[in-house]
Structures are given as structure tokens and as C-alpha cells.
Amino acid sequence: MEGILEEILQLVKKKMREQGAYTREAYKQFVVETIDYFIEKGKLSEEDNLKFIEDRLMVMWDKVREKISEEM
């Protein structure tokens, strides 16, 4: 599970940088979009605990925000 979380997180951070969107709302939108993308690609399924995955990624918001601030 941690591996897939890290994959999603890396893609979310990439999207944030590419689109210049650094708010919590944008982060949440990218998390949801990326989870949907992983479902489409077969890396996740509806049987996975998608709410748990989304919640875990949202808990990481503060650390993501700090990391992106350091990079800017």
C-alpha cells in the first residue's frame, strides 16, 4: 500500500508544479484525479479502500506544502 501511495503522491506533486496550483483544494483535486487515473490504468480497483488512500494522502498535505515551499 505504501508503494502506491508514494506513486500517487509523486504524480500529484508533479501536477501541482506543472499547473502552478499550490492550495489545499488543488491538492485534493489532484489526489482525486490521480486515484481515478490509477483505477483507469488498473493499478487500483474499486475493491481497494479508496477512501483510506485519499484520507492518507490528505493527511500528508502539510508536509507536501512544506516541501514545495522549499523547492520554490
Side-chain angles (χ1 to χ4, degrees), residues 31-72:
V31 164
V32 170
E33 286 176 7
T34 305
I35 289 171
D36 289 343
Y37 173 76
F38 274 51
I39 291 169
E40 288 174 22
K41 295 298 178 186
K43 290 187 173 191
L44 289 173
S45 73
E46 295 295 332
E47 275 96 51
D48 291 311
N49 190 342
L50 303 176
K51 180 69 174 144
F52 173 78
I53 293 169
E54 181 180 333
D55 290 346
R56 285 284 305 276
L57 290 162
M58 290 310 298
V59 167
M60 296 176 187
W61 163 243
D62 288 331
K63 290 182 182 179
V64 170
R65 185 184 65 217
E66 289 173 19
K67 182 73 173 163
I68 288 175
S69 293
E70 292 171 4
E71 293 172 358
M72 296 176 86

Side-chain angles (χ1 to χ4, degrees), residues 7-20:
E7 280 186 64
I8 294 169
L9 185 60
Q10 292 308 313
L11 188 53
V12 166
K13 291 193 293 190
K14 180 180 178 186
K15 288 180 179 188
M16 291 176 75
R17 282 188 218 95
E18 287 175 350
Q19 297 189 26

